[in-house]
Amino acid sequence: MDLVIRGARVVDGTGGPSYTADVAVHAGRVTEIGRVRAGGRRTLDAHGLALAPGFIDMHAHSDLALLRDPDHSAKAAQGVTLEVLGQDGLSYAPVDDRTLTEVRAAIAGWNGGAPWDPEDDVGFGWRTVGEYLDRLDATGIAVNAAYLVPQGTVRAYALGWDDRPATPAELDRMRRLVAEGLAQGAVGMSSGLTYTPGMYASGAELTELCRVVAAYGGYYCPHHRSYGRGALGAYAEMVELSRAAGCALHLAHATMNFGENEGRAGELLALLDDALAGGADITLDSYPYTPGCTTLVALLPSWAGEGGPEAVLARLRDDAEAERIRYALEVTGADGCHGVPVDWSAIEISGTADPAYGAYVGTRLDGWDSARRLLLGDRLGSTVLQHVGHEENVRAIMRHPVHTGGSDGILRGAKPHPRAYGTFPHYLGRYVRELGVLSLEECVAHLSGRPAARLRLPDRGLVREGYRADLVLFDPQTVAAGSTYENPRVLPAGIPYVLIDGRFVMRDGRRTDVLAGRSVRRTPHDGR
């Protein structure tokens, strides 16, 4: 054997009772579980440690970070062995030259890579989904990565950033782009329906694209149209859309935010339970924190984003147009801010693209004038924490049987959300050990076995003979997030070992130089 792990508490990812066993690993796979009599080239004494399948981050924004940062301890140190990229309807494939430039500008706050910043250029030599996945493999990455076709990017490619219905020819082009991305290995399609240009799509347009996703055996992952005033209606729209398309549904960072939704998680869960009882295929992900995190420009009304990033900047420079934006934000409630009038005191700047505006980081905005000045000066690249969540909703949703873990971790900025570095140990330390919201076995299933099932991975997500040796060993008594709102880039405690394909990515609590990650591509499906 390459490795024999002795005396671990095996928490196998099924949700069933844990047990003590030896686990043998050879040629990147688990080969024996029980009392392993054979020796190994290496032996690891795991007494006092839990051994679990590697955690799967169902909502990651590491699209460029994996290429830029080979270390990637932000995720590897949490026990994450697979991330799902291409989230919220905006990422970097499929594109042409025009669309790539526009998307790079639009989500510079999420990922960096702004077209005006030559020092943060990862090459961008790809144009298709397959070429992007090939680039991940050629570069060598810290953890595995799957990809969702981003619907907003597809819409920008097919018809630009216009707020109008797609023509039949444009809809056909979008169908082809989604099909090509799935055929090249994407696991599904994402949307960001409070982000331009994806939010300009009608339900009928989305349904047509989801029919393509269903034909390829993928799933639809929407950031739906509202987490605020219209949250329940927005969830219901996604459930009905997926039913009409016959497509599996995975609700991104599912929560109920803003004052309108305090204590209303039960209504969301009742909606989902009714759909599940009727045979719907639905899962969701969430992070174990109350604030959200996005870009400052995302709060603006949808009409302000028509035409793309340069058009947004032009409107912000125009005093009359800027006043229209302010009125929508502060009085009527912009759709970009989930239909709720913005509370500037809840908006904390977490990062800026231009270091010249670094003094804003960690401050709360004092009104529209400051927001406008920052949007223009930082060329829409600023990220924010939005303090609008409710702890009771977070706990209720994480208990649901179809729940999975997703960090939604934005790794850019001087003071990012602590979820980027802390989601998975925070679940285990805070919500398992300290609060008992979930048992250890249940929590590990939420973070490994259940997401692997959603991704239709035949040999990941469980500690089982024949499965890939993507494994994490942690101390249930000490595991905890190190990241805080004040110091968000601190690595977790109590996770000494992480393996991908049987190779140590973390050993004795330190990152090795191993780059064992690869693209994880959609399993071929016969339903096309």
Side-chain angles (χ1 to χ4, degrees):
M1 301 296 176
D2 292 332
L3 173 68
V4 177
I5 302 169
R6 300 284 187 191
R9 177 184 175 185
V10 177
V11 189
D12 66 6
T14 65
S18 57
Y19 56 91
T20 301
D22 303 333
V23 175
V25 173
H26 187 70
R29 294 188 179 266
V30 174
T31 55
E32 191 175 351
I33 303 171
R35 186 179 179 185
V36 177
R37 297 184 182 277
R41 294 186 180 90
R42 292 181 178 175
T43 301
L44 175 61
D45 182 354
H47 289 85
L49 298 179
L51 185 151
F55 303 138
I56 297 175
D57 189 342
M58 287 295 287
H59 193 103
H61 287 284
S62 303
D63 306 47
L64 301 184
L66 281 167
L67 297 172
R68 185 189 296 117
D69 176 21
D71 181 78
H72 203 49
S73 289
K75 295 300 180 67
Q78 294 185 61
V80 171
T81 58
L82 170 61
E83 299 183 274
V84 184
L85 313 176
Q87 299 287 349
D88 295 324
L90 288 167
S91 190
Y92 306 97
V95 291
D96 57 9
D97 292 349
R98 170 191 61 81
T99 308
L100 177 61
T101 299
E102 293 167 343
V103 169
R104 288 176 63 185
I107 56 175
W110 291 357
N111 299 319
W116 57 83
D117 185 358
E119 294 184 1
D120 192 20
D121 187 341
V122 298
F124 295 100
W126 65 86
R127 292 296 179 270
T128 69
V129 170
E131 288 169 352
Y132 172 71
L133 297 176
D134 288 344
R135 172 65 185 278
L136 294 177
D137 290 338
T139 299
I141 50 179
V143 304
N144 297 309
Y147 189 76
L148 296 164
V149 178
Q151 170 260 331
T153 299
V154 165
R155 199 173 208 271
Y157 191 165
L159 62 117
W161 298 67
D162 298 335
D163 184 2
R164 62 172 176 80
T167 66
E170 290 165 343
L171 182 57
D172 282 344
R173 190 179 189 195
M174 285 190 281
R175 288 194 193 97
R176 288 196 301 274
L177 289 168
V178 172
E180 289 168 2
L182 291 159
Q184 292 163 11
V187 295
M189 181 180 77
S190 75
S191 284
L193 301 180
T194 65
Y195 299 129
T196 58
M199 68 194 306
Y200 300 144
S202 67
E205 179 180 310
L206 295 170
T207 300
E208 288 302 308
L209 299 183
C210 283
R211 288 194 171 106
V212 177
V213 176
Y216 279 82
Y219 68 91
Y220 180 43
C221 180
H223 163 134
H224 50 276
R225 297 191 194 274
S226 176
Y227 290 80
R229 180 173 291 167
L232 285 173
Y235 280 114
E237 180 194 12
M238 295 299 99
V239 170
E240 174 56 26
L241 187 156
S242 67
R243 184 204 62 76
C247 186
L249 177 66
H250 180 84
L251 296 166
H253 37 59
T255 189
M256 297 284 285
N257 287 338
F258 302 90
E260 289 87 340
N261 294 314
E262 186 172 2
R264 298 184 67 190
E267 297 175 54
L268 165 62
L269 299 179
L271 170 70
L272 299 182
D273 286 339
D274 286 346
L276 290 163
D281 183 359
I282 301 174
T283 51
L284 57 87
D285 65 65
S286 75
Y287 46 83
Y289 299 87
T290 52
C293 181
T294 188
T295 55
L296 181 58
V297 67
L299 306 183
L300 272 53
S302 56
W303 56 261
E306 188 172 8
E310 291 303 321
V312 178
L313 290 166
R315 291 186 180 99
L316 288 167
R317 294 186 193 102
D318 184 284
D319 288 343
E321 289 290 280
E323 173 58 21
R324 287 183 65 208
I325 294 171
R326 182 205 67 79
Y327 190 86
L329 279 168
E330 296 184 347
V331 180
T332 61
D335 47 7
C337 196
H338 308 278
V340 178
V342 67
D343 175 5
W344 293 115
S345 69
I347 308 298
E348 177 185 357
I349 304 302
S350 60
T352 60
D354 186 341
Y357 293 87
Y360 278 90
V361 173
T363 68
R364 306 283 179 118
L365 289 175
D366 59 8
W368 167 242
D369 289 342
S370 294
R372 180 189 180 191
R373 187 161 53 248
L374 182 57
L375 285 163
L376 284 168
D378 202 30
R379 294 182 59 84
L380 315 180
S382 305
T383 52
V384 299
L385 301 187
Q386 198 168 10
H387 295 268
V388 293
H390 306 285
E391 178 67 17
E392 69 273 25
N393 287 347
V394 170
R395 296 188 194 189
I397 290 168
M398 74 170 64
R399 291 190 189 102
H400 197 274
V402 302
H403 169 267
T404 67
S407 72
D408 196 12
I410 294 175
L411 299 168
R412 301 290 290 181
K415 198 176 180 184
H417 196 304
R419 69 194 186 193
Y421 283 71
T423 287
F424 295 87
H426 200 49
Y427 269 120
L428 296 166
R430 177 68 173 158
Y431 290 93
V432 172
R433 184 179 64 248
E434 295 178 8
L435 298 176
V437 175
L438 295 168
S439 72
L440 182 62
E441 290 84 357
E442 289 172 326
C443 187
V444 167
H446 287 230
L447 306 182
S448 59
R450 189 168 300 144
R454 163 52 72 218
L455 294 168
R456 297 186 176 180
L457 302 178
D459 58 357
R460 301 178 195 265
L462 302 175
V463 181
R464 183 170 289 175
E465 292 179 5
Y467 275 50
R468 292 181 180 271
D470 293 354
L471 304 169
V472 54
L473 290 103
F474 61 92
D475 184 345
Q477 301 305 313
T478 63
V479 62
S483 58
T484 65
Y485 293 101
E486 293 73 27
N487 296 292
R489 295 186 186 275
V490 179
L491 298 181
I495 305 179
Y497 302 103
V498 180
L499 297 91
I500 295 178
D501 274 355
R503 302 171 67 192
F504 282 99
V505 175
M506 299 290 298
R507 184 189 292 118
D508 297 323
R510 295 181 177 86
R511 178 74 173 91
T512 69
D513 61 0
V514 168
L515 297 175
R518 294 293 182 270
S519 66
V520 175
R521 310 194 189 205
R522 183 190 57 83
T523 302
H525 182 65
D526 295 332
R528 283 174 288 179

